[in-house]
Every structure is written in structure tokens, then in C-alpha cells.
Amino acid sequence: MTAPIPRDIPDLPAVPNPPRLLPSSAPATAVVPPVRRPLAAVFRLLTALLALTGVAIELLLGGPVAKTLSHFTIQSGILLALVLLASARRAWSADRPLPGALTGAALLYVAVAGLVHHLLLANPASPFAVPDGDGTGWHTAATHILHTAVPLAAALDWLLLTTPGRLHLRQAAAWLLYPLAYLTFSLARGELLIPGAQDRYLYPFLDVDEHGYRGALGNALLVGLAVYALGVLLVALDHIRPDPLRRRW
């Protein structure tokens, strides 16, 4: 025999100060299932192989390995290839993309190498123009690969295969650390070599024998300001360009 059910159930006391629901801090990848992007992976792999091909040609034909590796173009090409290889693996396996600060830096450096070549070194109107040999052969092919094809391919990857809005203005200043370190390395290298040695200074606008330290540092300052302006432009474009990933690649 069961107890009778009471007709009136007393009200339960209200819970004082109910806890508020906090906004979730879970990343989007914990909610949205990751998606493989084979087209992006293949394009990045091919671009990385293109950059490594140009670097390999220069290493085979450019004289001493240490001298060839001292060029900003070679260093930036190797950095871009490593970044793109890692990005290709992540796109293929649906992992989270690399930080925008890293991919933006790699793009900026190869763009700087290409612009310095075309505007200062290969431009007959430039006071820093250097002869380009006979204009034929493997060396010229490597020059076009590293200064034209690779920067354009890296820019296309950034514009068409990456999510916008991942770059920030503070990163433009941080990206100057590597060019500043390269300037220090270049001047120190010139001091360690015998005065009058061939290719003592790898870039004519940094030639202390020709311009003195005041002139070389003044040229470096102008190039550094241009690099910073290009980095700021890259950040600005990243925040106004459309999102190409609304369609999954």
C-alpha cells in the first residue's frame, strides 16, 4: 500500500545567484569538422619544389656554397619552401593551418627579394643595376624562377588558398627582425673578407667600399622603410580581400 499523493506540493526555494553561462572558448576546429584541401596541398608542394629547384641551380652554378647561401634571395626561397611544405602537409591531412605571422613573413621576404631584383638590380635606370651576364643559361633560369615565378606563385597561394583576416599590424614590425639580422650579417661578412675581394658585399647598395658606412646604412634604412610599408600593405590587403575558402578546395 502506497502513501497518498499530497494535493499541494510546496514551492521549492529559488536558487540564489544562478551561475551564468560563460561563452565557449573552444576553437572552430572543435565544432566544424576539418576538411582536406588536396588542391591547396598540391599547389603548395609544386611551389615549394619550384623554389627548391631555383635554389639548387644557384648552389650548383653560383660558386662557393657559403657565398650562395649568403644571398637574401636564397635564404628567403629556402624559408618559403619549408613553410609551403609544412602548409601542404597540413592541407592534405586537414590539420590546422600554420600561423598567419609565419606564412605572411615567408611571402613578404620572397616578395622583397623579387622587388629588389627587378627595381634595383635588373633595372638599367637604377644606380645599383648590375650586369646579368649574357642573359642565357641555367643561371638566368634560376634568376627568373626565384625572383619572378616563386613570388607570383606565393602571392597566388596567399590570395586564393588562405583565409583572410589572419594578419595583424604589429606583425609588420616583427617581420623587420630578419632583414635587420641580414643587414648585420652582410656588413659583418664584408668586414671579415679581404678588402677588394670580389663579392665582398653581395648587394651594391650595401657596398661599404663604394658608399661608406653612412651611405650603406642610409640605403639600408630606405630599403627597410620600403619593407615595412610593404608589410603594412600586406596586412591591409589581408583585411579587405574576399574569402576564397567559402568554397572548399
Side-chain angles (χ1 to χ4, degrees):
M1 186 174 181
T2 59
I5 300 175
R7 294 180 178 273
D8 297 326
I9 300 177
D11 295 333
L12 296 176
V15 179
N17 300 324
R20 295 181 179 180
L21 295 179
L22 298 178
S24 174
S25 59
T29 52
V31 180
V32 181
V35 178
R36 294 178 65 249
R37 301 170 56 209
L39 179 59
V42 171
F43 184 82
R44 289 168 185 169
L45 176 62
L46 293 177
T47 303
L49 292 178
L50 182 66
L52 292 176
T53 298
V55 170
I57 295 174
E58 289 289 1
L59 288 174
L60 291 174
L61 304 178
V65 173
K67 172 197 156 187
T68 302
L69 291 175
S70 298
H71 283 85
F72 185 89
T73 299
I74 300 299
Q75 296 177 13
S76 62
I78 294 174
L79 173 63
L80 178 75
L82 294 176
V83 170
L84 288 180
L85 288 174
S87 295
R89 184 190 65 81
R90 294 192 174 207
W92 185 267
S93 58
D95 287 340
R96 186 179 303 179
L98 292 175
L102 178 59
T103 56
L107 171 61
L108 176 65
Y109 298 148
V110 295
V112 168
L115 290 174
V116 167
H117 173 78
H118 289 291
L119 297 180
L120 295 181
L121 305 181
N123 182 9
S126 168
F128 306 114
V130 294
D132 193 22
D134 57 3
T136 60
W138 286 104
H139 177 71
T140 300
T143 298
H144 288 301
I145 289 174
L146 292 173
H147 296 112
T148 305
V150 168
L152 288 177
L156 287 176
D157 171 71
W158 176 68
L159 287 171
L160 301 179
L161 300 175
T162 62
T163 304
R166 301 178 65 229
L167 303 181
H168 305 284
L169 187 59
R170 64 179 180 274
Q171 295 167 350
W175 290 336
L176 292 177
L177 293 177
Y178 169 56
L180 180 61
Y182 183 82
L183 171 64
T184 304
F185 161 77
S186 180
L187 296 179
R189 176 183 178 275
E191 286 297 321
L192 293 175
L193 295 179
I194 300 175
Q198 185 180 10
D199 295 327
R200 185 183 180 192
Y201 297 98
L202 299 175
Y203 294 95
F205 50 86
L206 298 179
D207 193 333
V208 176
D209 293 335
E210 179 72 19
H211 308 289
Y213 269 102
R214 177 178 296 181
L217 291 176
N219 294 334
L221 177 61
L222 293 177
V223 173
L225 291 175
V227 173
Y228 180 72
L230 184 60
V232 171
L233 177 61
L234 191 66
V235 174
L237 290 176
D238 187 53
H239 285 269
I240 64 175
R241 64 189 178 101
D243 187 357
L245 298 183
R246 290 178 180 175
R247 288 183 58 193
R248 295 290 181 178
W249 295 84

